[in-house]
Amino acid sequence: MRVITGKYKGRSFEIPHNFKARPTTDFAKENLFNVLRQYIDFDDSVALDLFSGTGSISLELLSRGCSKVISVEMDKDHHKFITTCLQKLNESNCMPIRTDVFKFVKTCRQQFDFIFADPPYQLKELVSLPDLILPLVKDDGLFVLEHGKDHQFHEHPNFVEHRVYGSVNFSFFQKS
């Protein structure tokens, strides 16, 4: 796993072979962040990374200037990996939280400029995520959901665009 650009550009971290996480590919991640530049000025933004897995998106957000990132991951080994990566970078602007995403979303009272979610593609609640997460997005903020090809969100009232990079799909939602 490597950081694409920003202050940590080129830094890489070896993901343990026993991980269950499906990290966003470098190809998809690079293209995603190229599109995100149209929507977000990362400098001093506050971001939330749900279903963080390896923490790849959290690290990319920090590298690009986010002032604060909350990284939510339930798996203890993945959470430990994210924490270790942050320590190696001496990065203090990320708060890795080990908890269930649904519990976190229900109790969170903070709003974010940008929220990214990369749930397991087979997650039965996947279709409900936009409605659950959008209340946490600031006005004019952005929520991006990574998902498989079996889900479409074009009919959602906050849907703004859909991008496909290989087998990776991103649906963009904007709160207005």
Side-chain angles (χ1 to χ4, degrees), residues 15-16 18-23 51-55 71-85 96 98:
I15 299 171
N18 63 340
F19 265 31
K20 297 171 265 180
R22 169 197 32 76
F51 305 95
S52 298
T54 62
S71 180
V72 180
E73 173 56 48
M74 188 168 61
D75 184 277
K76 70 178 173 79
D77 294 329
H78 297 183
H79 177 265
K80 182 179 178 183
F81 179 77
I82 294 166
T83 302
T84 300
C85 291
R98 184 173 169 241

Side-chain angles (χ1 to χ4, degrees), residues 8-25:
Y8 301 127
K9 179 181 180 176
R11 294 290 303 263
S12 61
F13 302 90
E14 189 67 34
I15 299 171
H17 297 293
N18 63 340
F19 265 31
K20 297 171 265 180
R22 169 197 32 76
T24 303
T25 65

Side-chain angles (χ1 to χ4, degrees), residues 7-8 59 62 66-70 83 85-96:
K7 66 182 177 181
Y8 301 127
L59 295 177
L62 291 164
C66 283
S67 63
K68 181 179 179 185
V69 177
I70 296 178
T83 302
C85 291
L86 293 167
Q87 289 170 346
K88 286 180 181 177
L89 294 172
N90 197 26
E91 181 60 67
S92 60
N93 292 331
C94 183
M95 181 187 311

Side-chain angles (χ1 to χ4, degrees), residues 38-158:
Q38 300 171 43
Y39 291 96
I40 301 168
D41 177 8
F42 290 107
D43 289 336
D44 298 322
S45 289
V46 178
L48 175 62
D49 181 10
L50 299 171
F51 305 95
S52 298
T54 62
S56 174
I57 299 296
S58 292
L59 295 177
E60 199 70 45
L61 290 165
L62 291 164
S63 185
R64 291 168 187 258
C66 283
S67 63
K68 181 179 179 185
V69 177
I70 296 178
S71 180
V72 180
E73 173 56 48
M74 188 168 61
D75 184 277
K76 70 178 173 79
D77 294 329
H78 297 183
H79 177 265
K80 182 179 178 183
F81 179 77
I82 294 166
T83 302
T84 300
C85 291
L86 293 167
Q87 289 170 346
K88 286 180 181 177
L89 294 172
N90 197 26
E91 181 60 67
S92 60
N93 292 331
C94 183
M95 181 187 311
I97 298 175
R98 184 173 169 241
T99 191
D100 176 76
V101 165
F102 295 98
K103 288 180 184 174
F104 177 85
V105 169
K106 285 180 184 174
T107 60
C108 183
R109 299 295 172 246
Q110 183 175 354
Q111 288 193 311
F112 301 87
D113 300 296
F114 176 67
I115 300 177
F116 181 82
D118 181 8
Y121 287 1
Q122 311 82 3
L123 183 74
K124 64 181 179 175
E125 299 94 347
L126 193 139
V127 297
S128 68
L129 287 176
D131 290 330
L132 290 171
I133 294 170
L134 279 165
L136 300 180
V137 177
K138 290 180 181 177
D139 289 344
D140 296 322
L142 186 71
F143 166 51
V144 174
L145 176 61
E146 181 174 334
H147 57 88
K149 64 181 179 184
D150 297 334
H151 293 89
Q152 297 297 323
F153 295 93
H154 295 87
E155 301 299 319
H156 193 281
N158 297 93

